[in-house]
Amino acid sequence: MRVLLSAYACDPVEGSEPGVGWAVLQGARSWSGEVTLVTRTNNVAAIEGALGPTSGVRVIGLDLPSWLMRLKHMLPWGHTLYYALWQLRLAHFLSTRLRHEAFDVVHHVTFASDWLPAGVLRLPGTAMKVWGPVGGASVCPVRLYPYLGARGVCTEILRRFTGGLGRWLLGRRNARVSDRVVAQNPDVAGYFSSVAVRMFVEPNAFIPYSLVAPSSHASTEPGIIVGVGRLMPWKGWALALRSLTHLPSHYRLRLYGRGPDEARLRRLVERLGIDGRVEFMGHVPRAEVVQAVCSAEVIVFPSFHDSAPGVVGEAIALGKPLVTLDLAGAGYMAKLAGVEPVPHRGGELARRFADAIRAPASPTDHARFNSERVRALVGEWYGIGQTGA
């Protein structure tokens, strides 16, 4: 079996999307005698170093001109634009450089955007086409718009329009030409179910045991609430801050991450009078984040539409008490691990969220998102092995 993987993000050390690319690469290697991976050029050295010279993996680095790289960092949506253009460049590269090679499976892995191009799916031939895991179809309920702020509401409306248009024009085509679609949560599966030949639902949270095992014996700090993620309006950190006002004064919130919503969140902290109870920790190495998660009394992830948040998978793997909303991937993952999320409908959401923090539920299935499951998943997606379709 020969497999072609498209993984824009792929790294043997990083988490999030790069970690997903690496996990699926390892899963594909376990079934395939020859894997060709196309990724960003800056990922190649780390991948080849981790694989070794006899891995059977051919790694191809692909990038756009340097002036587009500069533009990527200058424009507000520069990363999205660069990714879309990279996918178009990939389609051209494959049609000119690899079109005469015979592959049994071609698989689009990262980024997991269900409304953007997927260049590998345009490769002609009879190879099985696998798209995903993909996400993005989840949206923020209008009733939660007050937590977004004015700029956040404008961004969410723009996201709904651009994402909806891209999903209709590109996402549905990707699903239609794919033999297998892997959706990150039921929202995505529901959107594409009418055009997909075969659908799987699996969050792309692949947590390596080697990451969580060294931290699993850390002592718990009473009253410490930890939130991890970019400081974006739709991540729901404003809800977490408001819930803090309904908790006793010994509860403190530590937020790990940076983002454009930080200034608004800091102003909200002052306005709510909780200055001494909130710490903005910024961006720290992943190992430190895992340690912080492990030592917290409770983990909060009040996101309004994350497709499959890795930090939720890490909290579950560590067996930490978890509080999230019944929305998108976070709520779905919590339920899969035995944690009942907080309903977003109903009044006094901040108070109900605070009540859940006071009496948080711990996951009952710590291994649900262990990366060791990837081998079986890839075998199922490719229709081979004991779990074959």
Side-chain angles (χ1 to χ4, degrees):
M1 168 173 278
R2 300 184 68 197
V3 176
L4 172 63
L5 293 181
S6 164
Y8 175 92
C10 185
D11 190 280
V13 177
E14 296 295 326
S16 191
E17 290 282 339
V20 172
W22 177 254
V24 174
L25 171 62
Q26 295 295 83
R29 284 181 63 206
S30 69
W31 294 109
S32 172
E34 183 179 336
V35 178
T36 297
L37 169 70
V38 186
T39 185
R40 290 280 312 282
T41 303
N42 62 337
N43 298 327
V44 173
I47 294 170
E48 291 182 335
L51 290 174
T54 60
S55 64
V57 178
R58 174 176 51 163
V59 185
I60 300 174
L62 186 68
D63 268 318
L64 300 178
S66 57
W67 66 270
L68 280 173
M69 180 71 75
R70 291 192 294 271
L71 199 64
K72 166 186 171 181
H73 297 290
M74 292 170 57
L75 298 177
W77 286 50
H79 287 78
T80 302
L81 175 62
Y82 187 93
Y83 171 77
L85 293 175
W86 189 90
Q87 289 294 340
L88 297 177
R89 172 75 177 91
L90 172 62
H92 179 264
F93 174 83
L94 295 177
S95 66
T96 56
R97 296 282 298 275
L98 298 182
R99 68 177 303 167
H100 298 298
E101 296 194 27
F103 294 102
D104 299 291
V105 176
V106 295
H107 186 176
H108 171 92
V109 183
T110 60
F111 274 173
S113 299
D114 62 13
W115 61 281
L116 290 170
V120 73
L121 299 181
R122 296 176 179 268
L123 187 69
T126 59
M128 176 188 291
K129 292 181 172 64
V130 181
W131 185 43
V134 292
S138 304
V139 296
C140 173
V142 175
R143 67 174 64 238
L144 299 181
Y145 275 20
Y147 291 101
L148 299 176
R151 182 177 296 181
V153 169
C154 292
T155 301
E156 184 61 26
I157 293 173
L158 181 61
R159 176 185 180 271
R160 281 200 176 203
F161 174 76
T162 56
L165 182 62
R167 211 166 282 118
W168 179 260
L169 296 176
L170 299 172
R172 290 175 69 86
R173 179 196 178 278
N174 291 339
R176 197 162 37 242
V177 302
S178 298
D179 299 283
R180 305 282 198 272
V181 175
V182 186
Q184 293 186 16
N185 60 59
D187 292 346
V188 181
Y191 185 91
F192 293 106
S193 60
S194 63
V195 293
V197 175
R198 183 161 187 189
M199 177 73 69
F200 298 87
V201 182
E202 184 62 38
N204 67 346
F206 305 134
I207 312 303
Y209 180 77
S210 59
L211 175 72
V212 298
S215 304
S216 58
H217 301 295
S219 58
T220 299
E221 294 186 67
I224 296 298
I225 307 167
V226 165
V228 181
R230 294 192 66 199
L231 303 185
M232 307 289 286
W234 53 270
K235 288 286 189 178
W237 301 125
L239 170 61
L241 294 178
R242 291 187 181 279
S243 69
L244 202 60
T245 65
H246 298 287
L247 291 168
S249 59
H250 73 277
Y251 280 97
R252 291 176 292 154
L253 174 63
R254 292 174 181 166
L255 290 179
Y256 288 82
R258 292 198 181 102
D261 204 36
E262 183 171 344
R264 182 180 76 98
L265 294 175
R266 288 185 179 274
R267 291 194 298 269
L268 181 60
V269 166
E270 294 181 6
R271 190 160 68 248
L272 295 175
I274 51 176
D275 308 52
R277 301 174 61 191
V278 180
E279 298 177 76
F280 291 87
M281 310 301 293
H283 178 77
V284 301
R286 189 184 185 200
E288 291 185 29
V289 172
V290 173
Q291 188 68 25
V293 168
C294 193
S295 62
E297 182 173 318
V298 60
I299 307 303
V300 294
F301 196 82
S303 173
F304 302 151
H305 59 63
D306 261 276
S307 292
V311 65
V312 172
E314 290 177 356
I316 290 169
L318 289 163
K320 298 302 296 184
L322 173 68
V323 179
T324 187
L325 297 174
D326 61 341
L327 293 170
Y332 178 61
M333 292 172 64
K335 285 185 176 181
L336 289 178
V339 176
E340 192 62 32
V342 177
H344 74 281
R345 292 184 176 87
E348 299 187 317
L349 178 57
R351 182 181 293 278
R352 290 189 290 110
F353 202 83
D355 290 343
I357 292 174
R358 283 174 179 262
S362 296
T364 56
D365 186 357
H366 299 179
R368 176 59 183 81
F369 301 107
N370 195 309
S371 60
E372 292 181 3
R373 80 189 196 281
V374 178
R375 183 181 187 276
L377 288 174
V378 171
E380 187 176 5
W381 300 340
Y382 295 179
I384 54 180
Q386 294 181 346
T387 55

